[in-house]
Structure formats: structure tokens, C-alpha cells
Amino acid sequence: EDGMTFGEAMKQLFLGKKIALPEWAGYWYLHEDGTIHCFTKDLTDLTTPLYEKYCMRNDWKIYDKVNELQLKEYQESINKEKK
């Protein structure tokens, strides 16, 4: 499956979609205040994604339910390790 360019991914982001790169467990999303946030696999919500690092990638994807399940499983494993 082909991915999207950075520009195509940004269009989807501004349409309300969560976007990600294949190796990410987290995603970027458009916050209600109009800024782009990065939600990481470690449950950190960052307000300044590193655009320059990823703008040349052409394998962006829409973050979907499968990704959400993977993130939930990762979070549960982290919580078990903390106990």
C-alpha cells in the first residue's frame, strides 16, 4: 500500500484525520485550538511536532482503529511493567 506525501497527509490532518508514519505507535492530530499536536506511544501530548524531520517522507498514513488497538496494547504493557 502506497503512503501519502507530507502535503497530502497535512490535508487529511486538517480534515480531522489522525496521521502517522508506519513505524510510529502514536500520531499527529489537529487540536481543538487549531494547533498540530503529536500524541506519542508514551502518552505524551507534544505541541511542536518536528516537521523538518519528516516533511520529505512519502509513506504517511491515516491512523486507524488497528493502530489504536496497537497503542492500547502497548500502554497496557507499560502499565503492567510499572506495577
Side-chain angles (χ1 to χ4, degrees):
E1 179 179 309
D2 291 332
M4 297 178 286
T5 65
F6 182 74
E8 292 167 336
M10 288 291 104
K11 287 178 187 173
Q12 292 300 312
L13 181 93
F14 282 100
L15 290 173
K17 303 286 187 185
K18 298 172 186 172
I19 59 170
L21 288 168
E23 67 273 16
W24 291 0
Y27 53 86
W28 288 4
Y29 71 99
L30 187 63
H31 192 268
E32 60 189 28
D33 67 8
T35 61
I36 297 172
H37 283 229
C38 176
F39 190 76
T40 72
K41 66 180 182 180
D42 301 319
L43 308 180
T44 305
D45 194 358
L46 304 174
T47 57
T48 312
L50 301 172
Y51 302 104
E52 306 82 31
K53 186 174 180 180
Y54 304 110
C55 67
M56 298 307 290
R57 299 277 300 262
N58 62 0
D59 55 347
W60 287 89
K61 61 182 184 164
I62 301 296
Y63 188 87
D64 59 22
K65 293 289 183 191
V66 172
N67 301 117
E68 288 181 18
L69 290 173
Q70 291 169 340
L71 182 58
K72 184 177 180 182
E73 289 171 4
Y74 176 81
Q75 292 165 349
E76 288 171 355
S77 70
I78 293 293
N79 289 338
K80 287 178 185 175
E81 291 175 12
K82 288 181 180 178
K83 292 181 180 178

